[in-house]
Amino acid sequence: MAITAQDVKALRDKTGAGMMDCKKALTECDGDIDKASEWLREKGIAKAAKKADRIAAEGATRVAVDGNTAVVFEVNSETDFVAKNEQFLALMNQVQNLLLSAKPASMEAALAAEADGKTLETLVTEATATIGEKITFRRFAIVEKADDEAFGAYIHMGGKISALSVISGTDTAVAKDIAMQVASMSPQFVSRDDMPAEFIENERHVQLEILKNDASLASKPEKVLHGIVEGRLTKSLQEMCLVDQVYFKNPDLKVGQYLKENNAVCKSFIRYAVGEGIEKRSENFADEVMNQIKGN
């Protein structure tokens, strides 16, 4: 199948790999971006899980708490400049208040929720017209906690990243530390127990393929290779698990130890980063890619 400039750019944004490496990966994987991303990882060209935050779009995320209810949401704009102006910030406040009040269960319900006779969808449409850029209400999550639990809320760099944690116990300081850990280290799961078996098996396959492509290990006995794979798998999975990560305030502690010392358990967490998974428009880059494709 034909590989387009936008396909190459999307894979490059996702993995940080070079342009022609991305083209080759897409060709090998019949244009499937997810498979191509994994192919690049297996070849040692890119570590997609570490590069995902390179995907960018402008706007802001926010986390807010009201009693036993919290909300995390993202609103996108076309430029960072607009994301900092008063009109955009006023819209963020309106969205926050509306979500906390209505507690919608779906995107459809959120867009239809009303405040002062206007739906959220109308507020976003009006902001687009007033500000002069396309404004999009992208995603949200409503989280409820029990009285004997605590929320931890953290907003980084004015909304570039927002994180929410829920822990057992009522120590909000510990809960905020966990939210900061989530924001800075981007875990995918609370613990390995939360990982689906197929996810672990797929990661094992990725690590095995990486080793197969390492010429320096080609002569190693299968038993040795198996041990190396399992060791790398363990390290990789630990980096993805909150409780196994090194605690950002004390490198001598794991997060799980920090929680135990404070008689707490992390129940759940959410992390939003502005623009993750969204591709920025870049006509000049697309032209560059097309020229490279045509020349090869």
Side-chain angles (χ1 to χ4, degrees):
M1 65 173 290
I3 305 302
T4 69
Q6 290 304 312
D7 289 336
V8 175
K9 182 181 186 303
L11 183 58
R12 189 183 188 192
D13 282 344
K14 185 174 184 179
T15 65
M19 188 188 310
M20 299 316 299
D21 285 329
C22 288
K23 180 195 170 187
K24 183 176 180 181
L26 287 164
T27 301
E28 291 287 334
C29 300
D30 297 322
D32 187 306
I33 289 177
D34 289 333
K35 288 181 179 178
S37 174
E38 193 159 290
W39 186 91
L40 287 168
R41 290 189 66 201
E42 291 171 356
K43 300 300 181 185
I45 297 170
K47 295 183 178 180
K50 295 293 187 181
K51 304 292 185 181
D53 58 356
R54 286 191 176 189
I55 300 173
E58 304 305 336
T61 65
R62 185 178 291 183
V63 56
V65 174
D66 181 19
N68 281 350
T69 302
V71 62
V72 188
F73 65 94
E74 178 179 0
V75 178
N76 295 120
S77 61
E78 294 182 48
T79 65
D80 185 55
F81 178 77
V82 159
K84 297 174 182 175
N85 75 25
E86 292 183 5
Q87 292 167 312
F88 186 88
L89 295 176
L91 174 65
M92 292 290 288
N93 291 336
Q94 289 176 306
V95 172
Q96 172 184 313
N97 294 335
L98 196 154
L99 292 175
L100 285 171
S101 174
K103 301 179 184 179
S106 66
M107 178 60 76
E108 183 180 8
L111 291 172
E114 291 189 16
D116 299 325
K118 293 183 179 181
T119 64
L120 190 155
E121 186 172 23
T122 298
L123 292 173
V124 172
T125 300
E126 289 180 349
T128 298
T130 303
I131 293 172
E133 280 191 9
K134 181 178 179 181
I135 307 299
T136 305
F137 173 60
R138 185 188 179 200
R139 55 179 171 165
F140 75 99
I142 303 291
V143 181
E144 302 283 354
K145 74 170 185 66
D147 290 336
D148 60 351
E149 295 174 335
F151 281 134
Y154 176 67
I155 300 176
H156 183 64
M157 291 181 66
K160 290 297 184 183
I161 298 172
S162 291
L164 175 75
S165 69
V166 182
I167 69 164
S168 61
T170 57
D171 193 328
T172 56
V174 172
K176 183 172 182 179
D177 281 342
I178 297 304
M180 293 176 72
Q181 177 80 24
V182 169
S184 62
M185 301 306 293
S186 191
Q188 296 181 45
F189 305 92
V190 173
S191 72
R192 187 160 171 169
D193 292 339
D194 300 316
M195 289 183 173
E198 58 270 23
F199 179 91
I200 296 174
E201 191 55 38
N202 182 68
E203 188 63 23
R204 178 179 282 109
H205 172 75
V206 168
Q207 296 300 331
L208 178 59
E209 290 302 314
I210 290 173
L211 283 189
K212 285 181 179 179
N213 286 282
D214 188 337
S216 67
L217 297 173
S219 61
K220 297 288 185 182
E222 185 175 340
K223 185 176 180 180
V224 172
L225 290 177
H226 175 76
I228 295 173
V229 167
E230 291 304 310
R232 290 188 177 185
L233 175 66
T234 297
K235 185 176 186 298
S236 176
L237 297 184
Q238 285 178 341
E239 290 174 352
M240 298 178 192
C241 292
L242 172 69
V243 296
D244 291 326
Q245 290 181 343
V246 173
Y247 179 42
F248 78 105
K249 283 188 174 180
N250 184 347
D252 295 327
L253 276 184
K254 293 290 183 70
V255 173
Q257 294 172 298
Y258 171 70
L259 286 166
K260 187 174 182 180
E261 287 181 0
N262 288 277
N263 300 311
V265 174
C266 182
K267 300 291 188 177
S268 64
F269 63 79
I270 296 173
R271 180 186 188 275
Y272 281 1
V274 169
E276 55 191 355
I278 298 178
E279 181 184 343
K280 272 189 174 180
R281 184 175 63 248
S282 180
E283 288 84 354
N284 291 338
F285 178 83
D287 290 342
E288 178 189 354
V289 175
M290 283 308 299
N291 290 333
Q292 288 280 351
I293 291 175
K294 289 176 181 177
N296 290 271

